[in-house]
């Protein structure tokens, strides 16, 4: 994997990440977003309930103003520092609080549980008042604080619903106790048990939410804190922050790589499973790239540092996953619209319930209890958690298996993909072509002798190969690397090349030994109308029919002339044909889009099992082809090169191979950390499963309210049962999302 090519995923200038504490439901999210968007200079704000984070886009330095706005809205906010490992929250205190409130509420709930068996366990009115008061105003104080902050900012939230509902039940009981001497049934248990259940639900929810971020914590734990630095021949153990790019480091067997580096000395294997998803150890030798966080195998390595700290591949992966988890899926817009009016609507329904029951039969006590049930069964927290928890779990498990999903929008589009367009070289083939044949005619007079195959001249033509490699040494294209490598094998000394220029989709040109030369595709050679091409047409057609990729060595000028032909061979990647089969099973059509000649494209397509092949396609034509395919449904484009970037951008979902270029991965919405094409099917599958979880969660979140609120309004739910249902709603939503952690690639 070309780890150096991973895009830098640092937050863009003008983007501030905040940690926001105290949010309890979707209404809180909306309030924080509104507060941030009112800050002068802020152009956009996104708040995530599950991660308790806010991402603020601004045209200037608004950090202090943003913090002040969040605090004014009633929440605690701090700026998140990139690269700083946050301490994990300790849940022991909250767990103890839940246990204590349960102990105090249990004696109040016990009579209700044993009454059907003819047992009277009712406490005295004074004992009930004492227990309920402690629960209401000590353990329930957080709801009053949250409700007051919400009201002060002109909004409502879950805290307000709980505070109103439990206060109504508590005050009704106090009134009955003193007005009637405690001779009748009191309702202290309704208030106390609801508070206990909601506290229990929030505690379970917090524990479950922590599991959705397990992937991030696992990746963060891979970062070593110490490194063995070698300076002036002396090896010393230092903090990893001391290491700089260009420094030499030593990695002993069993140690984690402290930085991104290139091996200078030694041979070993590296376990990169948690970084790339590759289950097998990867061989490392001089020239191999090392990724921070990978585990060194059996050999001692000395390596030169290429990236440290926030610029390492591991840090970029973590930022990528965090960015995806903090983003909002487009479907969340519906939830946001509902949450804006949710709490006010519930309060109105509760008030109507109270008046309706009271005026209908004069049973005002029952009217209050039914109104309380309406208030405490409403579940704005479940609505707020439905989408982000599924995205967090899905992107987290995908990252563990080498699939980096850049944002929630890519995830949402990927689930609906119906057509996948593939680049050929480096994507579906190994991308490591070799020079298999050379045709040359470098006589003093062009055409004074027939084309000569390299095989007839005792090997690869040194004249053509030397000139071609001298031009290609300036390019990083797979074909260029093949030419340079062939020249090295032949022991040829390359000539200096100047004024080199890449011509996208056509080739590369440079000045070598006083000649302006071009390594041209067959299409470019035809556009140039290079002299001498006709003499070689039969030989070139033979090569193309054999599935060879052909490049021309052309001398540019007033009358361009062909000096030689280079033929390349490439092999289909293991698993590529299986990928096409998997996509067919998923109902996804595969298309091969390549700038290569028709013969090479057809040969590769036959091996892959792809029927739709489009050859000799320029980069801009790829983008147009992808745009046209969108009429058939959602289109994904899979590529790895600079020439694929326009098509990746034109597709609904761009998928870049991790072995490809920086530009391709910057453009793509999904990056595959390994050059394994089967990950494409895995990426579509995990996106489908994640989107299914989002829909399931939203269904349950809405159904709790659509069914529960009317039942409570019609007096069919006891407030205690309503409180239990409210607590269960958010826990069930998070638990359902966590089932994604069990996903494994097929």
């Amino acid at each position: 994997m070309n780890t150096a090519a991973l895009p830098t995923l640092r937050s863009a200038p003008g983007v501030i990440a905040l940690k926001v504490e105290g949010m309890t439901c979707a209404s809180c999210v909306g309030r924080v977003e509104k507060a941030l968007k009112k800050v002068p200079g802020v152009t956009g704000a996104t708040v995530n309930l599950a991660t308790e984070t806010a991402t603020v886009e601004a045209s200037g330095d608004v950090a202090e103003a943003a913090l002040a706005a969040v605090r004014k809205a009633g929440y605690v906010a701090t700026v998140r520092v990139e690269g700083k490992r946050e301490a994990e929250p300790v849940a022991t205190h909250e767990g103890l609080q839940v246990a204590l409130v349960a102990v105090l509420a249990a004696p109040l709930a016990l009579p209700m549980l044993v009454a059907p068996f003819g047992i009277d366990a009712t406490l005295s009115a004074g004992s009930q008042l004492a227990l309920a008061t402690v629960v209401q105003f000590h353990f329930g104080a957080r709801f009053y604080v949250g409700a007051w902050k919400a009201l002060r900012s002109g909004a409502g939230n879950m805290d307000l619903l709980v505070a109103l509902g439990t206060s109504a039940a508590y005050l009704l009981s106090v009134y009955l106790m003193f007005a009637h001497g405690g001779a009748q049934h009191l309702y202290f248990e309704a208030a106390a048990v609801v508070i206990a259940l909601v506290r229990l639900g929030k505690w379970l929810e917090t524990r479950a939410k922590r599991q959705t971020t397990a992937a991030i914590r696992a990746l963060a734990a891979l970062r070593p804190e110490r490194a063995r630095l070698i300076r002036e021949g002396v090896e010393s153990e230092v903090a990893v922050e001391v290491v700089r790019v260009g420094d030499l480091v030593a990695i002993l067997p069993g140690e984690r790589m402290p930085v991104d580096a290139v091996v200078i000395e030694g041979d070993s294997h590296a376990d990169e499973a948690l970084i790339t998803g590759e289950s097998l150890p990867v061989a490392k030798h001089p020239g191999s790239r090392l990724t921070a966080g990978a585990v060194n195998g059996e050999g001692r390595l000395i390596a030169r540092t290429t990236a440290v700290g926030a610029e390492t591949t591991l840090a970029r992966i973590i930022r990528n996953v965090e960015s995806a988890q903090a983003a909002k899926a487009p479907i969340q817009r519906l939830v946001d619209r509902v949450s804006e009016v949710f709490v006010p609507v519930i309060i109105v329904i509760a008030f109507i319930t109270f008046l309706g029951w009271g005026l209908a039969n004069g049973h005002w006590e029952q009217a209050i209890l039914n109104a309380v049930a309406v208030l405490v069964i409403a579940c704005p927290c479940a609505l707020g958690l439905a989408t982000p928890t599924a995205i967090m779990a899905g992107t987290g498990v995908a990252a563990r298996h080498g699939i980096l999903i850049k944002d929630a929008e890519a995830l949402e589009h990927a689930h609906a993909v119906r057509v996948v367009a593939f680049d050929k070289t480096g994507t579906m083939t190994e991308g490591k072509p070799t020079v298999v044949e050379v045709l040359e005619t470098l006589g003093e007079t062009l055409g004074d002798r027939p084309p000569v195959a390299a095989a007839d001249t005792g090997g690869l033509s040194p004249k053509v190969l030397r000139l071609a490699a001298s031009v290609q040494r300036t390019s990083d294209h797979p074909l260029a690397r093949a030419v340079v490598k062939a020249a090295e094998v032949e022991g040829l000394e390359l000539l200096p090349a100047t004024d080199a220029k890449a011509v996208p989709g056509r080739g590369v040109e440079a000045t070598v030994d006083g000649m302006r030369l071009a390594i041209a595709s067959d299409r470019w050679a035809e556009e140039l109308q290079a002299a001498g091409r006709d003499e070689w047409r039969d030989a070139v057609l033979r090569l193309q029919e054999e599935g060879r990729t052909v490049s021309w060595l052309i001398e540019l000028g007033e009358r361009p002339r062909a000096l030689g032909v280079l033929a390349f061979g490439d092999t289909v990647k293991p698993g590529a044909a299986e990928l096409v089969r998997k996509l067919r099973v998923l109902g996804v059509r595969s298309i091969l889009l390549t700038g290569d000649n028709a013969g090479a494209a057809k040969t590769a397509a036959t091996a892959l099992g792809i029927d739709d092949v489009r050859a000799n396609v320029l980069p801009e034509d790829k983008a147009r082809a992808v745009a046209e395919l969108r009429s058939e449904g959602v289109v994904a484009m899979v590529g790895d090169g600079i020439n694929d970037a326009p098509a990746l951008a034109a597709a609904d979902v761009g998928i870049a191979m991790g072995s490809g270029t920086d530009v391709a991965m910057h453009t793509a919405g999904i990056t595959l950390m390994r050059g394994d094409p089967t990950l494409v099917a895995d990426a579509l599958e995990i996106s489908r499963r994640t989107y299914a979880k989002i829909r399931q969660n939203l269904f349950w979140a809405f159904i709790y309210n659509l069914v529960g609120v009317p039942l409570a309004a019609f007096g069919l739910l006891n407030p205690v049962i309503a409180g239990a249902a409210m607590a269960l709603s958010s826990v069930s939503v998070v638990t359902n999302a966590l089932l994604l952690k069990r996903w494994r690639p097929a």
Side-chain angles (χ1 to χ4, degrees), residues 420-473:
V420 177
F422 292 99
D423 172 51
K424 182 177 79 71
T425 305
T427 301
M428 299 300 274
T429 65
E430 290 289 355
K432 299 177 182 177
T434 56
V435 179
V436 295
E437 197 167 344
V438 174
L439 303 176
E440 54 121 341
T441 174
L442 287 169
E444 296 210 358
T445 303
L446 184 66
D448 64 350
R449 56 193 174 104
V452 180
D456 299 329
T457 60
L460 301 179
S461 166
K463 294 179 180 179
V464 171
L465 198 56
R466 188 184 189 200
L467 290 174
S470 298
V471 175
Q472 294 282 48
R473 71 192 302 180

Side-chain angles (χ1 to χ4, degrees), residues 405-538:
I405 301 172
K406 186 182 293 185
D407 53 43
E409 187 171 356
L411 182 73
E412 185 162 341
H413 284 314
H415 91 278
V417 166
R418 290 294 173 264
V419 180
V420 177
F422 292 99
D423 172 51
K424 182 177 79 71
T425 305
T427 301
M428 299 300 274
T429 65
E430 290 289 355
K432 299 177 182 177
T434 56
V435 179
V436 295
E437 197 167 344
V438 174
L439 303 176
E440 54 121 341
T441 174
L442 287 169
E444 296 210 358
T445 303
L446 184 66
D448 64 350
R449 56 193 174 104
V452 180
D456 299 329
T457 60
L460 301 179
S461 166
K463 294 179 180 179
V464 171
L465 198 56
R466 188 184 189 200
L467 290 174
S470 298
V471 175
Q472 294 282 48
R473 71 192 302 180
T474 64
S475 173
D476 195 41
H477 191 278
L479 296 183
R481 291 196 294 266
V483 174
V484 174
K485 184 176 181 180
E488 291 174 350
V489 171
E490 293 293 315
L492 301 177
E493 182 179 350
L494 302 189
L495 300 169
T498 59
D499 300 326
K501 182 177 71 172
V503 184
R506 289 171 170 81
V508 62
E509 60 180 81
T511 300
V512 177
D513 198 23
M515 296 184 291
R516 189 63 180 173
L517 300 176
I519 303 298
S521 65
D522 196 45
R523 179 169 182 165
W524 193 20
E526 185 175 350
E527 291 175 355
L528 291 171
Q529 297 182 344
R533 288 172 50 257
D534 292 341
E535 289 88 338
W536 293 352
R537 178 50 54 194
D538 290 341

Side-chain angles (χ1 to χ4, degrees), residues 23 36 54 121 266 276 383 412 450 536 562 569 612:
M23 296 186 296
L36 288 170
T276 67
L383 286 173
E412 185 162 341
W536 293 352
D612 194 340

Side-chain angles (χ1 to χ4, degrees), residues 162 370 394 436:
V162 174
N370 291 341
V436 295

Side-chain angles (χ1 to χ4, degrees), residues 46 48 55 322-329 387-388 391 406-409:
T46 302
N48 187 301
T55 303
E322 285 181 332
S323 174
Q325 292 186 344
K328 281 189 177 182
T387 300
I391 290 174
K406 186 182 293 185
D407 53 43
E409 187 171 356

